[in-house]
């Protein structure tokens, strides 16, 4: 006799199991959102304020699956302007405990609130007088007083602020593997990080400065980070002969040169200017000086301008180079279109 397939035998298909897992976790997140909007709102605000006033670093710790979530929370906090680190509780007991100092705030994650490695950190945390925020599944904000006396976990009892990550049940079909509970921990960690970054007035350019390798970071580079300076900066004086001007342009390889009077920018000569001069004057152009050939009052840019704004100027004016000057008109550098090619802005 042939054995019937899973669907025919009444067993749920993989698709149905997957859907069920997602729905269980989504329901756990809805319950978390309801707690944040209601009974847990005050504790959440207290946690954000405590983290905001942290003079040191935010130390996030957890074991096993909770530890993996703790690593991600620490990374999110750091990338949104709140210095944080992950402390492995087992490694802490073998020397890494020195990472925790006065002025820090510890955020400890444990679904049960009874993880032995995490509990062993409590003595050191209390000894240092470091505030403790915990994420546990103690159902602190999910029960009414009529449900009877509450038996808090050891970690929840030791905390200055306990945040409730309780779930109706895990998404695991056996109800054992941390699934919905770690999802709520992750979401709650994101909520703390985002609320904290807003409390700090964290902006796009702040995010970009912490992510210089990312596309957003490149878009928010300043002109000062890309401009040519020092020996790479093409410059001549107003009295420089055009033969020497051409040599300077060729030697520096930017297709142009600035013309300066002392430190002050007074003009610019580009490859295009040189071609037009040759068409108009022929060989006689070599009898001229830079002052007779330069474009006076060229378009310039400040070193503090975003590179993306400088690119917009180049595109509008159909130019390939911008002198960079300070408020007094002193030449600081030159930004070339080629310098922007590697920034993913082109």
């Amino acid at each position: 006799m042939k054995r019937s397939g899973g669907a025919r035998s009444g067993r749920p298909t993989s698709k149905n199991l997957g859907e069920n897992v997602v729905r269980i976790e989504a329901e756990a997140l809805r319950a978390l959102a309801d707690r944040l909007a209601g009974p847990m709102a005050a504790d959440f605000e207290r946690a954000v304020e405590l983290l905001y006033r942290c003079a040191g670093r935010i130390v996030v710790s957890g074991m096993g699956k909770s530890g993996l979530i703790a690593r991600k929370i620490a990374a999110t906090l750091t990338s949104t302007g709140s210095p944080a680190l992950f402390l492995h509780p087992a490694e802490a007991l073998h020397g890494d405990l020195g990472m925790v100092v006065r002025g820090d705030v510890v955020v400890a994650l444990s679904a049960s609130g009874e993880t032995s490695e995490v509990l062993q950190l409590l003595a050191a945390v209390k000894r240092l007088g470091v505030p403790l925020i915990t994420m546990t599944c103690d159902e602190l904000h999910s029960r009414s007083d009529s449900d009877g006396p509450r038996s808090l976990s050891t970690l929840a009892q030791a905390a200055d602020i306990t945040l409730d990550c309780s779930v109706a049940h895990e998404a695991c079909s056996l109800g054992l593997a941390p699934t919905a509970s770690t999802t709520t921990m992750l979401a709650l960690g994101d909520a703390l990080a985002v609320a904290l970054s807003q409390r700090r007035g964290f902006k796009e350019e702040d995010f970009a400065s912490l992510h210089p390798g990312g596309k957003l970071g490149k878009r928010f580079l300043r002109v000062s980070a890309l401009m040519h300076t020092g020996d790479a900066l093409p410059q001549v004086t107003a009295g420089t002969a055009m033969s020497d001007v051409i040599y300077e342009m060729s030697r520096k390889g930017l297709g142009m040169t600035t013309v300066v009077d002392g430190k002050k920018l007074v003009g610019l000569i580009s490859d295009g200017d040189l071609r037009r001069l040759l068409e108009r004057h022929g060989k006689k152009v070599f009898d001229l000086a830079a002052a007779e050939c330069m474009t006076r009052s060229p378009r310039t840019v400040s070193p503090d301008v975003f590179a993306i704004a400088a690119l917009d100027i180049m595109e509008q004016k159909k130019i390939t180079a911008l002198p960079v000057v300070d408020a007094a008109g002193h030449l600081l550098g030159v930004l070339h279109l080629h310098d922007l090619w590697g920034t993913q802005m082109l």
Side-chain angles (χ1 to χ4, degrees), residues 139-172:
E139 300 187 42
L140 293 176
H141 307 90
S142 306
R143 299 172 54 184
S144 65
D145 293 335
S146 61
D147 293 328
R150 298 175 181 176
S151 177
L152 296 184
S153 66
T154 305
L155 190 60
Q157 292 181 58
D160 296 281
I161 302 171
T162 297
L163 299 177
D164 182 357
C165 291
S166 59
V167 296
H169 48 84
E170 298 286 8
C172 166

Side-chain angles (χ1 to χ4, degrees), residues 123-206:
V125 169
K126 293 302 180 182
R127 174 170 51 80
L128 291 170
V130 174
L132 175 64
I133 299 172
T134 63
M135 295 186 192
T136 69
C137 293
D138 275 84
E139 300 187 42
L140 293 176
H141 307 90
S142 306
R143 299 172 54 184
S144 65
D145 293 335
S146 61
D147 293 328
R150 298 175 181 176
S151 177
L152 296 184
S153 66
T154 305
L155 190 60
Q157 292 181 58
D160 296 281
I161 302 171
T162 297
L163 299 177
D164 182 357
C165 291
S166 59
V167 296
H169 48 84
E170 298 286 8
C172 166
S173 57
L174 299 176
L176 299 175
T179 46
S181 58
T182 47
T183 297
T184 58
M185 284 181 177
L186 180 62
L188 187 54
D190 286 344
L192 284 172
V194 172
L196 190 55
S197 68
Q198 184 173 343
R199 181 80 167 80
R200 295 187 189 283
F202 197 72
K203 297 181 174 61
E204 270 189 327
E205 52 264 40
D206 300 317

Side-chain angles (χ1 to χ4, degrees), residues 40-63:
M40 198 166 71
D43 284 340
F44 182 80
E45 290 297 330
R46 287 174 56 219
V48 171
E49 186 62 26
L50 180 59
L51 295 174
Y52 175 74
R53 291 188 285 104
C54 176
R57 296 162 303 175
I58 302 169
V59 181
V60 192
S61 187
M63 195 72 186

